Amino acid sequence: MIKEKTRIQTLFENKGDSEKVMSLFISAGYPDLDSTVDLILGFEKNGADLIELGMPFSDPLADGPTIQYASNTAIKNGITMDKIFGMVREIRKSSEIPLILMGYINPILKYGVDRFCEQAEKNGVDGLIIPDAPVEESSIISKKAEQHNLNLIFLVAPNSSNERMQVVDQHSNGFVYCVSVTGVTGARQGDEVAKSVEKFIHRVKTNVTKNPKLVGFGIKSYEDAQIISKEVDGFIVGSALIDTIKKVYPEEGWKDNVFSFVRRLKYGKTESQKERSL
């Protein structure tokens, strides 16, 4: 049992019924070490409700080409676990946005599970997503995560059985991550995601009843997000955000262009135009 309510849990408790939570994923240290904190603070100002900060790893399991590129760039930039905690510490000087660390179990084991969880809590992390530590193998970190007040978030996918979804719901805290399509991360074309997600989300709603539900993988626009998340609590965008950064970095004003994309993701083109006209 988590000893104190985390920022993630508070976010969902305070959310209105019709509001959609927007969670953004970015690899720590991408596109450079100095920009991560500014980007996250800017994401918050432009509509992000929750941040998933990727812990780059050289041998990822679920990452598509875009996030692999970002992770490799961050590794070349010299990202380390201590630098990631330093970024979180800087963000906490001016923001209470819920922060999740997302990555793979090997770097955590190398750093030390006890030390990792202690530093995560000390610096202001709220939760963890570790795709290669599913429920059955999560005991390697679940007890320490609980001791250090870190929500553990597990994933369900279209090929998860109903029974599997129920087990994931029982072991998750904060929310359940609904992977909209099978395969690796990456923005999809056309209506691939929308076609895949309808039956899947119907099963999720039936079997995931304890936790809020966020849907991710393949969302690249406001329109995608509204269609795909209409029956759940919100949506997650990662690859489309990193693709946007990749297109504009390091041009002059590149961060403003990225923040404009974030604003469109949350509010749509019309709302963004209204905001600019104020």
Side-chain angles (χ1 to χ4, degrees), residues 26 30-40 249 254-255:
I26 185 168
Y30 177 80
D32 56 59
L33 295 177
D34 293 333
S35 295
T36 301
V37 172
D38 286 346
L39 284 174
I40 289 173
Y249 178 84
W254 69 271
K255 288 180 185 174

Side-chain angles (χ1 to χ4, degrees), residues 142-240:
S142 58
K143 188 173 180 180
K144 289 297 176 185
E146 183 179 311
Q147 288 176 358
H148 290 282
N149 217 51
L150 300 168
N151 290 145
L152 268 185
I153 294 122
F154 294 100
L155 293 80
V156 296
N159 58 356
S160 300
S161 67
N162 292 344
E163 293 75 17
R164 174 75 185 170
M165 290 182 181
Q166 293 166 19
V167 169
V168 166
D169 189 28
Q170 287 305 309
H171 286 79
S172 289
N173 284 292
F175 64 91
V176 168
Y177 191 132
C178 305
V179 178
S180 59
V181 292
T182 53
V184 297
T185 58
R188 264 66 172 183
Q189 296 299 318
D191 59 354
E192 178 186 352
V193 179
K195 284 182 177 176
S196 167
V197 82
E198 190 170 345
K199 291 182 180 177
F200 168 54
I201 292 300
H202 177 73
R203 288 202 300 120
V204 168
K205 288 182 67 178
T206 301
N207 292 290
V208 177
T209 57
K210 188 187 84 170
N211 285 285
K213 298 161 276 289
L214 295 188
V215 62
F217 278 41
I219 297 172
K220 58 183 176 15
S221 67
Y222 169 81
E223 290 74 19
D224 286 347
Q226 295 306 304
I227 293 170
I228 293 165
S229 68
K230 63 182 178 181
E231 298 293 334
V232 296
D233 298 282
F235 58 93
I236 302 163
V237 177
S239 295

Side-chain angles (χ1 to χ4, degrees), residues 54-201:
M55 300 179 286
F57 179 46
S58 59
D59 192 18
L61 177 72
D63 297 348
T66 298
I67 294 179
Q68 285 186 35
Y69 167 80
S71 293
N72 288 335
T73 301
I75 291 169
K76 289 177 183 175
N77 288 340
I79 193 69
T80 64
M81 200 66 82
D82 284 329
K83 289 178 181 176
I84 293 172
F85 287 129
M87 291 171 179
V88 174
R89 190 161 58 246
E90 280 301 305
I91 293 165
R92 282 287 169 254
K93 290 180 179 178
S94 57
S95 173
E96 288 298 310
I97 192 168
L99 282 167
I100 294 169
L101 292 183
M102 182 171 183
Y104 297 93
I105 194 67
N106 274 5
I108 297 173
L109 294 176
K110 183 178 179 182
Y111 192 83
V113 173
D114 289 5
R115 181 180 170 215
F116 174 83
C117 291
E118 180 184 347
Q119 289 298 311
E121 180 187 29
K122 179 181 177 181
N123 288 292
V125 174
D126 299 290
L128 306 173
I129 301 175
I130 309 170
D132 61 346
V135 170
E136 294 80 1
E137 300 173 29
S138 63
S139 60
I140 196 168
I141 194 170
S142 58
K143 188 173 180 180
K144 289 297 176 185
E146 183 179 311
Q147 288 176 358
H148 290 282
N149 217 51
L150 300 168
N151 290 145
L152 268 185
I153 294 122
F154 294 100
L155 293 80
V156 296
N159 58 356
S160 300
S161 67
N162 292 344
E163 293 75 17
R164 174 75 185 170
M165 290 182 181
Q166 293 166 19
V167 169
V168 166
D169 189 28
Q170 287 305 309
H171 286 79
S172 289
N173 284 292
F175 64 91
V176 168
Y177 191 132
C178 305
V179 178
S180 59
V181 292
T182 53
V184 297
T185 58
R188 264 66 172 183
Q189 296 299 318
D191 59 354
E192 178 186 352
V193 179
K195 284 182 177 176
S196 167
V197 82
E198 190 170 345
K199 291 182 180 177
F200 168 54
I201 292 300

Side-chain angles (χ1 to χ4, degrees), residues 22 24 39 42-48 221-223 225-226 235 237 241 244 253 255-278:
M22 181 170 80
L24 297 181
L39 284 174
F43 294 164
E44 182 181 21
K45 289 178 181 174
N46 286 279
S221 67
Y222 169 81
E223 290 74 19
Q226 295 306 304
F235 58 93
V237 177
L241 176 61
T244 299
K255 288 180 185 174
D256 290 336
N257 289 328
V258 173
F259 297 149
S260 178
F261 172 74
V262 169
R263 201 159 54 242
R264 287 198 304 276
L265 270 178
K266 180 65 180 282
Y267 303 110
K269 186 176 180 181
T270 302
E271 289 298 322
S272 293
Q273 289 171 334
K274 285 180 182 176
E275 287 179 358
R276 286 197 294 273
S277 67
L278 291 176

